[in-house]
Amino acid sequence: MKILILNGPNLNLTGKRDPKVYGKISFEELEKMIKEKYPLVDVTLFQTNHEGEIIDKLQSEAEEYDGLVINAGALTHTSIAIADALESVKIPKLEVHLSHIFSREEYRRISMLAPYCDGLISGLGMNGYLVAIQYLYARYANR
Ligand code: DQA
């Protein structure tokens, strides 16, 4: 089974950036955790600071995977373009946020992407990605 994890702007700084909000674990460390926990799942992590690159990835590659995890960072709250691209991707999709976006500033409580995802995990730190993989794996196994 193949899962694509798409991360947006500033998530490359995770581990160093505001650790009280986003945690101390980097995506390199998460990748190792995923390999240990889910050796049978082929997980690709992709991060970009550019909105258009997220859209290109959704359009050109996402459907080659069996499941998608998306954390579009701040673009979550603003990007109708990513929402439109996401709507066309017909595989199981989960939105993940490291922080609890509903307990933060008002402007973070809106997600343009949530209506086009099967679910949303927020506030569990890097564990949110592991929970997302667990869900997608179970769904794939029971398809
Ligand atoms: C985030 C939440 C966003 O509001 C913020 O802009 C981010 C990270 C999260 O994972 O908690 O960059 O998506």
Side-chain angles (χ1 to χ4, degrees):
M1 155 186 215
K2 285 171 66 180
I3 293 177
L4 175 63
I5 298 181
L6 261 185
N7 283 328
N10 298 308
L11 287 160
N12 52 315
L13 301 180
T14 307
K16 295 180 223 143
R17 168 199 188 202
D18 210 346
K20 281 207 183 97
V21 176
Y22 298 114
K24 291 184 187 151
I25 303 171
S26 68
F27 279 98
E28 286 75 28
E29 289 169 282
L30 176 73
E31 205 165 0
K32 281 187 207 140
M33 287 156 75
I34 294 171
K35 283 200 177 113
E36 270 171 35
K37 218 169 153 46
Y38 296 103
L40 300 178
V41 184
D42 181 357
V43 179
T44 301
L45 274 124
F46 178 81
Q47 189 277 331
T48 174
N49 290 326
H50 305 282
E51 183 176 19
E53 279 188 20
I54 297 178
I55 295 164
D56 287 345
K57 205 81 177 167
L58 288 170
Q59 286 185 4
S60 64
E61 265 182 51
E63 283 186 340
E64 291 166 20
Y65 293 83
D66 305 299
L68 173 74
V69 179
I70 184 160
N71 180 353
L75 292 170
T76 303
H77 317 299
T78 58
S79 181
I80 297 168
I82 294 176
D84 285 349
L86 206 48
E87 187 177 15
S88 301
V89 175
K90 306 293 183 207
I91 57 170
K93 295 165 276 184
L94 287 178
E95 176 177 343
V96 168
H97 296 284
L98 295 163
S99 64
H100 186 354
I101 57 169
F102 302 102
S103 72
R104 299 183 63 197
E105 299 92 336
E106 192 87 32
Y107 59 82
R108 292 189 204 272
R109 294 182 193 168
I110 292 168
S111 169
M112 296 293 169
L113 314 186
Y116 306 107
C117 290
D118 298 287
L120 191 163
I121 299 165
S122 180
L124 307 187
M126 284 298 188
N127 276 321
Y129 287 87
L130 296 174
V131 171
I133 293 168
Q134 186 189 17
Y135 167 80
L136 292 169
Y137 186 54
R139 198 161 149 180
Y140 179 80
N142 295 316
R143 74 196 182 282

PDB file of all heavy atoms in Angstrom, residues 3 21 23 26 34-35 39-41 49 51 55 58-59 71 85 95 100 103 125-126 137 141-142:
ATOM      1  N   ILE A   3       1.123   5.468   0.566  1.00  0.00           N
ATOM      2  CA  ILE A   3       0.505   6.674   1.141  1.00  0.00           C
ATOM      3  C   ILE A   3       1.379   7.885   0.836  1.00  0.00           C
ATOM      4  O   ILE A   3       2.609   7.825   0.964  1.00  0.00           O
ATOM      5  CB  ILE A   3       0.329   6.531   2.670  1.00  0.00           C
ATOM      6  CG1 ILE A   3      -0.711   5.452   2.990  1.00  0.00           C
ATOM      7  CG2 ILE A   3      -0.085   7.863   3.306  1.00  0.00           C
ATOM      8  CD1 ILE A   3      -0.904   5.174   4.470  1.00  0.00           C
ATOM      9  N   VAL A  21       4.186  24.697  20.438  1.00  0.00           N
ATOM     10  CA  VAL A  21       2.969  24.560  19.625  1.00  0.00           C
ATOM     11  C   VAL A  21       3.072  23.338  18.704  1.00  0.00           C
ATOM     12  O   VAL A  21       2.119  22.561  18.574  1.00  0.00           O
ATOM     13  CB  VAL A  21       2.730  25.838  18.778  1.00  0.00           C
ATOM     14  CG1 VAL A  21       1.528  25.671  17.856  1.00  0.00           C
ATOM     15  CG2 VAL A  21       2.532  27.044  19.678  1.00  0.00           C
ATOM     16  N   GLY A  23       5.690  20.904  18.661  1.00  0.00           N
ATOM     17  CA  GLY A  23       6.435  19.734  19.135  1.00  0.00           C
ATOM     18  C   GLY A  23       7.908  19.781  18.749  1.00  0.00           C
ATOM     19  O   GLY A  23       8.348  20.659  18.008  1.00  0.00           O
ATOM     20  N   SER A  26      11.073  16.173  14.409  1.00  0.00           N
ATOM     21  CA  SER A  26      11.184  16.615  13.004  1.00  0.00           C
ATOM     22  C   SER A  26      10.534  15.567  12.087  1.00  0.00           C
ATOM     23  O   SER A  26      10.264  14.433  12.516  1.00  0.00           O
ATOM     24  CB  SER A  26      12.659  16.766  12.618  1.00  0.00           C
ATOM     25  OG  SER A  26      13.246  15.477  12.601  1.00  0.00           O
ATOM     26  N   ILE A  34       7.647   5.963  11.283  1.00  0.00           N
ATOM     27  CA  ILE A  34       6.687   5.317  10.361  1.00  0.00           C
ATOM     28  C   ILE A  34       7.264   4.000   9.851  1.00  0.00           C
ATOM     29  O   ILE A  34       6.578   2.974   9.828  1.00  0.00           O
ATOM     30  CB  ILE A  34       6.350   6.251   9.173  1.00  0.00           C
ATOM     31  CG1 ILE A  34       5.582   7.487   9.651  1.00  0.00           C
ATOM     32  CG2 ILE A  34       5.544   5.499   8.113  1.00  0.00           C
ATOM     33  CD1 ILE A  34       5.397   8.559   8.581  1.00  0.00           C
ATOM     34  N   LYS A  35       8.547   4.018   9.476  1.00  0.00           N
ATOM     35  CA  LYS A  35       9.173   2.793   8.936  1.00  0.00           C
ATOM     36  C   LYS A  35       9.176   1.673   9.972  1.00  0.00           C
ATOM     37  O   LYS A  35       8.988   0.503   9.641  1.00  0.00           O
ATOM     38  CB  LYS A  35      10.597   3.102   8.462  1.00  0.00           C
ATOM     39  CG  LYS A  35      10.582   3.825   7.121  1.00  0.00           C
ATOM     40  CD  LYS A  35      11.901   3.733   6.381  1.00  0.00           C
ATOM     41  CE  LYS A  35      11.767   4.409   5.024  1.00  0.00           C
ATOM     42  NZ  LYS A  35      12.582   5.622   4.915  1.00  0.00           N
ATOM     43  N   PRO A  39       6.126  -1.169   8.600  1.00  0.00           N
ATOM     44  CA  PRO A  39       7.122  -1.584   7.601  1.00  0.00           C
ATOM     45  C   PRO A  39       6.507  -1.984   6.262  1.00  0.00           C
ATOM     46  O   PRO A  39       7.192  -1.946   5.234  1.00  0.00           O
ATOM     47  CB  PRO A  39       7.835  -2.762   8.281  1.00  0.00           C
ATOM     48  CG  PRO A  39       6.932  -3.212   9.375  1.00  0.00           C
ATOM     49  CD  PRO A  39       6.122  -2.021   9.785  1.00  0.00           C
ATOM     50  N   LEU A  40       5.218  -2.346   6.273  1.00  0.00           N
ATOM     51  CA  LEU A  40       4.592  -2.800   5.020  1.00  0.00           C
ATOM     52  C   LEU A  40       3.966  -1.660   4.221  1.00  0.00           C
ATOM     53  O   LEU A  40       3.500  -1.866   3.107  1.00  0.00           O
ATOM     54  CB  LEU A  40       3.519  -3.854   5.320  1.00  0.00           C
ATOM     55  CG  LEU A  40       3.997  -5.120   6.029  1.00  0.00           C
ATOM     56  CD1 LEU A  40       2.838  -6.058   6.302  1.00  0.00           C
ATOM     57  CD2 LEU A  40       5.075  -5.816   5.195  1.00  0.00           C
ATOM     58  N   VAL A  41       3.969  -0.468   4.804  1.00  0.00           N
ATOM     59  CA  VAL A  41       3.350   0.661   4.097  1.00  0.00           C
ATOM     60  C   VAL A  41       4.451   1.513   3.458  1.00  0.00           C
ATOM     61  O   VAL A  41       5.432   1.869   4.107  1.00  0.00           O
ATOM     62  CB  VAL A  41       2.497   1.528   5.060  1.00  0.00           C
ATOM     63  CG1 VAL A  41       1.788   2.632   4.291  1.00  0.00           C
ATOM     64  CG2 VAL A  41       1.481   0.674   5.801  1.00  0.00           C
ATOM     65  N   ASN A  49       7.081  24.802   0.206  1.00  0.00           N
ATOM     66  CA  ASN A  49       6.601  26.097   0.706  1.00  0.00           C
ATOM     67  C   ASN A  49       5.722  26.793  -0.325  1.00  0.00           C
ATOM     68  O   ASN A  49       5.303  27.926  -0.111  1.00  0.00           O
ATOM     69  CB  ASN A  49       7.798  26.987   1.075  1.00  0.00           C
ATOM     70  CG  ASN A  49       8.516  26.456   2.314  1.00  0.00           C
ATOM     71  OD1 ASN A  49       7.878  25.906   3.213  1.00  0.00           O
ATOM     72  ND2 ASN A  49       9.817  26.588   2.356  1.00  0.00           N
ATOM     73  N   GLU A  51       2.393  26.983  -2.867  1.00  0.00           N
ATOM     74  CA  GLU A  51       1.011  26.541  -3.082  1.00  0.00           C
ATOM     75  C   GLU A  51       0.863  25.758  -4.389  1.00  0.00           C
ATOM     76  O   GLU A  51       0.244  24.696  -4.437  1.00  0.00           O
ATOM     77  CB  GLU A  51       0.107  27.778  -3.093  1.00  0.00           C
ATOM     78  CG  GLU A  51      -1.369  27.479  -3.234  1.00  0.00           C
ATOM     79  CD  GLU A  51      -2.213  28.747  -3.127  1.00  0.00           C
ATOM     80  OE1 GLU A  51      -1.678  29.866  -3.294  1.00  0.00           O
ATOM     81  OE2 GLU A  51      -3.419  28.610  -2.869  1.00  0.00           O
ATOM     82  N   ILE A  55      -0.635  21.884  -5.512  1.00  0.00           N
ATOM     83  CA  ILE A  55      -1.677  21.652  -6.526  1.00  0.00           C
ATOM     84  C   ILE A  55      -1.134  20.728  -7.630  1.00  0.00           C
ATOM     85  O   ILE A  55      -1.811  19.771  -8.036  1.00  0.00           O
ATOM     86  CB  ILE A  55      -2.164  23.001  -7.098  1.00  0.00           C
ATOM     87  CG1 ILE A  55      -2.842  23.790  -5.980  1.00  0.00           C
ATOM     88  CG2 ILE A  55      -3.119  22.791  -8.280  1.00  0.00           C
ATOM     89  CD1 ILE A  55      -3.036  25.261  -6.276  1.00  0.00           C
ATOM     90  N   LEU A  58      -1.072  17.216  -6.336  1.00  0.00           N
ATOM     91  CA  LEU A  58      -2.427  16.647  -6.251  1.00  0.00           C
ATOM     92  C   LEU A  58      -2.921  16.248  -7.639  1.00  0.00           C
ATOM     93  O   LEU A  58      -3.519  15.191  -7.825  1.00  0.00           O
ATOM     94  CB  LEU A  58      -3.386  17.650  -5.606  1.00  0.00           C
ATOM     95  CG  LEU A  58      -3.194  17.877  -4.099  1.00  0.00           C
ATOM     96  CD1 LEU A  58      -4.036  19.058  -3.625  1.00  0.00           C
ATOM     97  CD2 LEU A  58      -3.561  16.623  -3.303  1.00  0.00           C
ATOM     98  N   GLN A  59      -2.660  17.100  -8.614  1.00  0.00           N
ATOM     99  CA  GLN A  59      -3.159  16.829  -9.974  1.00  0.00           C
ATOM    100  C   GLN A  59      -2.410  15.690 -10.651  1.00  0.00           C
ATOM    101  O   GLN A  59      -3.010  14.863 -11.328  1.00  0.00           O
ATOM    102  CB  GLN A  59      -3.003  18.077 -10.847  1.00  0.00           C
ATOM    103  CG  GLN A  59      -3.992  19.168 -10.530  1.00  0.00           C
ATOM    104  CD  GLN A  59      -3.867  20.326 -11.500  1.00  0.00           C
ATOM    105  OE1 GLN A  59      -3.088  20.280 -12.462  1.00  0.00           O
ATOM    106  NE2 GLN A  59      -4.616  21.376 -11.263  1.00  0.00           N
ATOM    107  N   ASN A  71      -1.283  18.227   5.200  1.00  0.00           N
ATOM    108  CA  ASN A  71      -1.202  19.327   6.156  1.00  0.00           C
ATOM    109  C   ASN A  71      -0.681  20.507   5.344  1.00  0.00           C
ATOM    110  O   ASN A  71       0.518  20.613   5.070  1.00  0.00           O
ATOM    111  CB  ASN A  71      -0.242  18.999   7.306  1.00  0.00           C
ATOM    112  CG  ASN A  71      -0.162  20.146   8.305  1.00  0.00           C
ATOM    113  OD1 ASN A  71      -0.707  21.226   8.086  1.00  0.00           O
ATOM    114  ND2 ASN A  71       0.537  19.911   9.404  1.00  0.00           N
ATOM    115  N   ALA A  85      -8.365  21.467  -6.028  1.00  0.00           N
ATOM    116  CA  ALA A  85      -7.518  20.357  -6.505  1.00  0.00           C
ATOM    117  C   ALA A  85      -7.817  19.094  -5.694  1.00  0.00           C
ATOM    118  O   ALA A  85      -7.915  17.988  -6.243  1.00  0.00           O
ATOM    119  CB  ALA A  85      -6.043  20.730  -6.400  1.00  0.00           C
ATOM    120  N   GLU A  95      -6.982  15.186   6.555  1.00  0.00           N
ATOM    121  CA  GLU A  95      -6.297  16.439   6.875  1.00  0.00           C
ATOM    122  C   GLU A  95      -5.690  16.290   8.268  1.00  0.00           C
ATOM    123  O   GLU A  95      -6.369  15.820   9.184  1.00  0.00           O
ATOM    124  CB  GLU A  95      -7.317  17.577   6.851  1.00  0.00           C
ATOM    125  CG  GLU A  95      -6.743  18.914   7.258  1.00  0.00           C
ATOM    126  CD  GLU A  95      -7.782  20.049   7.140  1.00  0.00           C
ATOM    127  OE1 GLU A  95      -8.823  19.870   6.465  1.00  0.00           O
ATOM    128  OE2 GLU A  95      -7.535  21.100   7.736  1.00  0.00           O
ATOM    129  N   HIS A 100      -3.630  22.132  17.705  1.00  0.00           N
ATOM    130  CA  HIS A 100      -5.100  22.059  17.804  1.00  0.00           C
ATOM    131  C   HIS A 100      -5.654  23.365  17.209  1.00  0.00           C
ATOM    132  O   HIS A 100      -5.826  24.355  17.920  1.00  0.00           O
ATOM    133  CB  HIS A 100      -5.457  21.902  19.284  1.00  0.00           C
ATOM    134  CG  HIS A 100      -6.896  21.663  19.546  1.00  0.00           C
ATOM    135  ND1 HIS A 100      -7.870  21.703  18.563  1.00  0.00           N
ATOM    136  CD2 HIS A 100      -7.548  21.375  20.692  1.00  0.00           C
ATOM    137  CE1 HIS A 100      -9.039  21.447  19.099  1.00  0.00           C
ATOM    138  NE2 HIS A 100      -8.874  21.253  20.380  1.00  0.00           N
ATOM    139  N   SER A 103      -8.347  25.533  18.873  1.00  0.00           N
ATOM    140  CA  SER A 103      -8.132  26.191  20.165  1.00  0.00           C
ATOM    141  C   SER A 103      -7.147  27.349  20.026  1.00  0.00           C
ATOM    142  O   SER A 103      -6.682  27.885  21.020  1.00  0.00           O
ATOM    143  CB  SER A 103      -7.615  25.187  21.199  1.00  0.00           C
ATOM    144  OG  SER A 103      -6.281  24.847  20.891  1.00  0.00           O
ATOM    145  N   GLY A 125       0.013  16.453  17.578  1.00  0.00           N
ATOM    146  CA  GLY A 125       1.426  16.506  17.202  1.00  0.00           C
ATOM    147  C   GLY A 125       1.715  15.482  16.113  1.00  0.00           C
ATOM    148  O   GLY A 125       0.829  15.142  15.316  1.00  0.00           O
ATOM    149  N   MET A 126       2.957  14.957  16.100  1.00  0.00           N
ATOM    150  CA  MET A 126       3.330  13.976  15.069  1.00  0.00           C
ATOM    151  C   MET A 126       2.501  12.696  15.167  1.00  0.00           C
ATOM    152  O   MET A 126       2.348  11.975  14.188  1.00  0.00           O
ATOM    153  CB  MET A 126       4.812  13.630  15.180  1.00  0.00           C
ATOM    154  CG  MET A 126       5.725  14.703  14.648  1.00  0.00           C
ATOM    155  SD  MET A 126       5.470  15.002  12.874  1.00  0.00           S
ATOM    156  CE  MET A 126       6.855  16.104  12.557  1.00  0.00           C
ATOM    157  N   TYR A 137      -4.485   2.645   6.454  1.00  0.00           N
ATOM    158  CA  TYR A 137      -4.054   1.247   6.316  1.00  0.00           C
ATOM    159  C   TYR A 137      -5.245   0.313   6.551  1.00  0.00           C
ATOM    160  O   TYR A 137      -5.486  -0.616   5.775  1.00  0.00           O
ATOM    161  CB  TYR A 137      -2.926   0.977   7.310  1.00  0.00           C
ATOM    162  CG  TYR A 137      -2.297  -0.383   7.176  1.00  0.00           C
ATOM    163  CD1 TYR A 137      -1.789  -0.829   5.957  1.00  0.00           C
ATOM    164  CD2 TYR A 137      -2.199  -1.240   8.277  1.00  0.00           C
ATOM    165  CE1 TYR A 137      -1.205  -2.077   5.833  1.00  0.00           C
ATOM    166  CE2 TYR A 137      -1.615  -2.489   8.162  1.00  0.00           C
ATOM    167  CZ  TYR A 137      -1.123  -2.895   6.941  1.00  0.00           C
ATOM    168  OH  TYR A 137      -0.551  -4.137   6.819  1.00  0.00           O
ATOM    169  N   ALA A 141      -6.988  -2.201   3.931  1.00  0.00           N
ATOM    170  CA  ALA A 141      -7.070  -3.654   4.203  1.00  0.00           C
ATOM    171  C   ALA A 141      -8.513  -4.153   4.101  1.00  0.00           C
ATOM    172  O   ALA A 141      -8.745  -5.305   3.754  1.00  0.00           O
ATOM    173  CB  ALA A 141      -6.504  -3.946   5.586  1.00  0.00           C
ATOM    174  N   ASN A 142      -9.466  -3.291   4.404  1.00  0.00           N
ATOM    175  CA  ASN A 142     -10.889  -3.698   4.407  1.00  0.00           C
ATOM    176  C   ASN A 142     -11.633  -3.269   3.144  1.00  0.00           C
ATOM    177  O   ASN A 142     -12.860  -3.276   3.122  1.00  0.00           O
ATOM    178  CB  ASN A 142     -11.601  -3.104   5.623  1.00  0.00           C
ATOM    179  CG  ASN A 142     -11.063  -3.662   6.910  1.00  0.00           C
ATOM    180  OD1 ASN A 142     -10.850  -4.868   7.010  1.00  0.00           O
ATOM    181  ND2 ASN A 142     -10.789  -2.805   7.866  1.00  0.00           N
TER     182      ASN A 142
END
